[in-house]
Amino acid sequence: MPSLAASLHAFESDQLQQIALSWGLPEVASDKPSLLLSLELNIPSPHRFASVFHQLPEHAQLALFALKANGGMLPWSTFVQRFGEIRALGKTLRKKEQPWAFPISVSETLWYRGLLGRDFLRVNGELQEMAYLPDELIPLVPAQPDQASENTLEPASVEPAEIFPTSSVILDEACLLLAALRFENPQEYLAETTVDAGHWAFLETLLVAAGVLDAEKQPTNLARRFLELPRGHALNWLGNQWLKSGTFHEINYLESLQIETNGSIRSQAARQAIIDILNSLQAGKWYDLDGLLELVRASNPDFLRWQEEYFSWTVMKTGSEPAILSGYESWIKVEGALINFIVQKMLPWLGLSDIAETNDRQRLFRLNEVFFNLDTPVHAVEDEIENVPVSLTSAGKIVMTDRSPRMVRYQISRFAEWLEVTPARGVYQITPTSLSRARTQGLQPKHLISLLRKHADGGLPPILYEAIKRWEAEGTQASIQTETILRLGSPQILQALRESPAAHWLGESLGPTTVIIKPAGGKAVLQALSALGYLTDMSEREHNG
């Protein structure tokens, strides 16, 4: 650690004079060498140091305890997050502001007593800007009295007014997403669900990070195992994969923030730092989220950004009042937002915590027992049973709920049209088109027959079995279509239309006065009839409407 002489050399003469006064030393001289010598001889005096130390404000003493507990030094960014910044003042401003008499922070209090050094030191082979205790002073700082640690969070003293309990719905969402991604046009299928497109994209990114999807957004070999795991184990496993992932970046999803950096983002380390702090809490107890922010800022403020990254990262606040966020003062809006996202979004989504609000909008969270086994993905957890049979009609209508086995839902849904689909319940229909599409993916009717026989309530209806087998042998036997039919008053009018420019839009004749109008041809046919002098019962607006 640098010596007291090294730290004092950073001060100018007027500052050294004020430091000497704070230590009760007479101004033997105003020149810098004499001041330095006097301070270097007197500050390390055990009796004098103890006297000055005990006159320090409590938070200034805590700052010295923190430095000593960390081997005499802390990263400068960490120190100023906890104890405040030191203003950069020239001699004229120092004379005006008198920071030794009116410090704005604990850091300034220590700085103008010569108790705090600031320099670039080599740590783990790299130069880092550090706050430090001069070497001679480290043994003079007394042991911290036994007391409750400041780095703890007590359970909230208020009761929640509204609770938002966690669920395992992410497993059902993942099942739907994995099935949809096996189609050529997955977005069309996902659009039929009640989940918005942004949420699907977010889940897709998480599943890629977990190894369930590959870089091409296709299910990997892990996907099958993931779908077959009991719900509790699957949820625990997915949470563990999230915890370990170095490629999933929560900061890309922080609301109203855009963050760019040329360096790497240590998302996994940041995530682990928050989880480590949460591991010191109790399961089943409500905690104040704002209290957690204060705890992290006091104990590990640099869990995301280090040192110069507070200034080198480009952080843009978007919305109605855009602004660039920079420096240590941006901590709440960046690091604080990340903590909020992890506690209020990720943990409940992964079934690890509940969240709540009080009547005065205070935000609370409660960790579940399974959270404390996040590092052990094989830990036995209570399971929600998936054993509800599939509902099936002889017309090929299928209903599956979130308590039907996920692997079964995944497989059957690839054989059918998606009608009304939510993570909790899906309605599907077997059609010739859906069977043809499944066949192009290597899924044969015999696979569907086997699934329905095994998992449908009451088995596979004989009529539906015959229909599937008949399609397999002969293809589509019947189709239902919605067409626009034109009925005319006489065959002569139809003949006149066939000789008009609208003839292109006329399809198959259904009789001497009836004809099908091709899609998008209604307007042209109506205009042709008007030109021929005939009135119609349908306007152009009605037809296009």
Side-chain angles (χ1 to χ4, degrees):
M1 205 66 59
S3 65
L4 179 62
S7 66
L8 292 175
H9 269 282
F11 293 95
E12 296 183 24
S13 295
D14 65 305
Q15 295 171 303
L16 293 172
Q17 289 171 353
Q18 296 302 326
I19 292 173
L21 288 174
S22 71
W23 284 85
L25 302 178
E27 294 186 51
V28 293
S30 59
D31 63 290
K32 187 170 182 177
S34 298
L35 284 166
L36 286 172
L37 180 60
S38 178
L39 292 171
E40 290 166 20
L41 290 174
N42 285 281
I43 289 179
S45 165
H47 177 75
R48 190 182 295 274
F49 183 91
S51 176
V52 170
F53 178 85
H54 290 298
Q55 294 174 29
L56 290 173
E58 180 182 359
H59 283 91
Q61 293 181 5
L62 290 174
L64 295 181
F65 288 143
L67 286 170
K68 182 170 182 175
N70 286 275
M73 61 181 178
L74 282 168
W76 182 254
S77 57
T78 300
F79 191 82
V80 298
Q81 286 284 358
R82 294 181 62 179
F83 303 110
E85 296 193 68
I86 297 173
R87 290 170 288 178
L89 303 174
K91 186 173 183 179
T92 302
L93 276 178
R94 285 198 297 270
K95 186 175 182 180
K96 177 184 177 181
E97 299 292 336
Q98 299 189 48
W100 43 83
F102 305 99
I104 65 166
S105 65
V106 170
S107 298
E108 279 196 350
T109 297
L110 297 175
W111 185 254
Y112 286 102
R113 283 172 173 75
L115 294 173
L116 179 64
R118 176 183 183 181
D119 205 348
F120 283 90
L121 306 179
R122 192 166 295 281
V123 179
N124 297 326
E126 295 184 3
L127 283 177
Q128 296 185 32
E129 189 176 22
M130 307 296 289
Y132 68 88
L133 261 173
D135 192 55
E136 301 95 316
L137 305 185
I138 295 176
L140 299 180
V141 175
Q144 186 170 6
D146 291 334
Q147 58 182 11
S149 172
E150 62 172 326
N151 296 331
T152 59
L153 184 62
E154 296 299 324
S157 58
V158 295
E159 288 298 318
E162 186 175 11
I163 298 175
F164 307 94
T166 189
S167 73
S168 55
V169 68
I170 188 175
L171 300 178
D172 307 302
E173 294 171 344
C175 180
L176 286 176
L177 179 60
L178 290 170
L181 290 172
R182 298 306 301 268
F183 296 116
E184 290 185 2
N185 49 344
Q187 299 310 320
E188 291 185 16
Y189 286 84
L190 295 175
E192 298 294 330
T193 71
T194 56
V195 181
D196 66 74
H199 187 77
W200 286 128
F202 182 49
L203 176 57
E204 191 176 82
T205 303
L206 177 62
L207 293 183
V208 170
V212 175
L213 293 175
D214 62 22
E216 303 300 321
K217 310 297 177 61
Q218 287 299 302
T220 65
N221 292 334
L222 272 178
R224 183 180 186 90
R225 178 58 179 151
F226 172 59
L227 291 170
E228 291 175 337
L229 281 174
R231 288 185 76 88
H233 285 71
L235 203 57
N236 189 239
W237 178 85
L238 187 58
N240 181 264
Q241 295 302 110
W242 164 72
L243 180 63
K244 297 188 302 183
S245 173
T247 59
F248 183 76
H249 302 295
E250 289 88 350
I251 67 168
N252 292 335
Y253 301 95
L254 301 185
E255 187 176 357
S256 302
L257 285 184
Q258 291 181 356
I259 301 176
E260 296 180 3
T261 173
N262 293 327
S264 60
I265 299 173
R266 297 172 293 275
S267 293
Q268 195 281 325
R271 186 184 312 125
Q272 186 67 59
I274 302 305
I275 298 302
D276 288 345
I277 290 175
L278 292 174
N279 269 319
S280 67
L281 307 183
Q282 301 177 55
K285 300 287 187 181
W286 289 108
Y287 291 92
D288 176 31
L289 182 56
D290 290 334
L292 176 65
L293 298 185
E294 294 174 5
L295 173 61
V296 176
R297 193 167 192 176
S299 60
N300 188 13
D302 298 334
F303 73 94
L304 177 63
R305 290 181 291 177
W306 295 352
Q307 305 281 19
E308 76 285 348
E309 290 175 341
Y310 284 95
F311 304 92
S312 63
W313 283 25
T314 301
V315 182
M316 176 65 74
K317 178 182 178 293
T318 59
S320 58
E321 298 181 358
I324 294 177
L325 306 178
S326 180
Y328 304 128
E329 62 272 16
S330 67
W331 192 92
I332 283 292
K333 293 181 178 178
V334 181
E335 278 79 0
L338 177 57
I339 297 170
N340 285 336
F341 185 84
I342 289 175
V343 173
Q344 292 202 298
K345 171 75 174 182
M346 294 305 304
L347 295 186
W349 195 33
L350 291 165
L352 300 171
S353 73
D354 305 317
I355 56 177
E357 285 187 350
T358 64
N359 285 323
D360 59 358
R361 314 303 289 178
Q362 182 180 358
R363 299 171 300 170
L364 306 176
F365 66 95
R366 176 176 63 188
L367 300 172
N368 298 333
E369 191 68 45
V370 68
F371 169 85
F372 297 92
N373 298 302
L374 195 55
D375 286 326
T376 313
V378 296
H379 181 81
V381 293
E382 184 177 349
D383 269 320
E384 301 167 294
I385 304 301
E386 293 181 336
N387 59 1
V388 175
V390 173
S391 174
L392 177 65
T393 70
S394 58
K397 182 180 179 180
I398 302 169
V399 178
M400 299 184 287
T401 75
D402 57 1
R403 288 302 173 264
S404 304
R406 280 168 292 127
M407 190 63 194
V408 172
R409 282 182 270 158
Y410 166 78
Q411 292 174 319
I412 291 178
S413 64
R414 296 175 61 197
F415 283 97
E417 302 291 352
W418 295 23
L419 302 182
E420 299 175 10
V421 179
T422 72
R425 181 178 182 272
V427 180
Y428 304 84
Q429 179 67 50
I430 300 171
T431 68
T433 299
S434 68
L435 293 176
S436 295
R437 184 172 51 241
R439 177 179 276 174
T440 63
Q441 298 180 26
L443 303 176
Q444 301 302 321
K446 64 180 181 180
H447 299 144
L448 177 60
I449 290 171
S450 175
L451 284 167
L452 296 178
R453 279 177 169 167
K454 183 176 180 180
H455 298 286
D457 189 14
L460 176 62
I463 294 177
L464 181 57
Y465 169 76
E466 292 297 332
I468 294 173
K469 295 299 290 184
R470 187 176 296 114
W471 175 87
E472 184 178 23
E474 303 174 14
T476 302
Q477 299 296 299
S479 64
I480 298 176
Q481 298 172 254
T482 300
E483 303 281 8
T484 301
I485 307 298
L486 177 64
R487 300 183 187 279
L488 300 165
S490 68
Q492 288 77 16
I493 301 175
L494 178 54
Q495 183 58 38
L497 271 178
R498 291 205 177 277
E499 294 172 358
S500 75
H504 168 73
W505 299 104
L506 300 180
E508 179 184 355
S509 292
L510 303 179
T513 60
T514 308
V515 66
I516 294 174
I517 298 177
K518 296 178 181 178
K523 182 177 180 180
V525 171
L526 289 174
Q527 290 175 343
L529 286 169
S530 296
L532 291 170
Y534 295 103
L535 298 176
T536 64
D537 286 329
M538 181 183 288
S539 67
E540 291 183 16
R541 180 176 180 181
E542 287 173 333
H543 183 79
N544 295 327

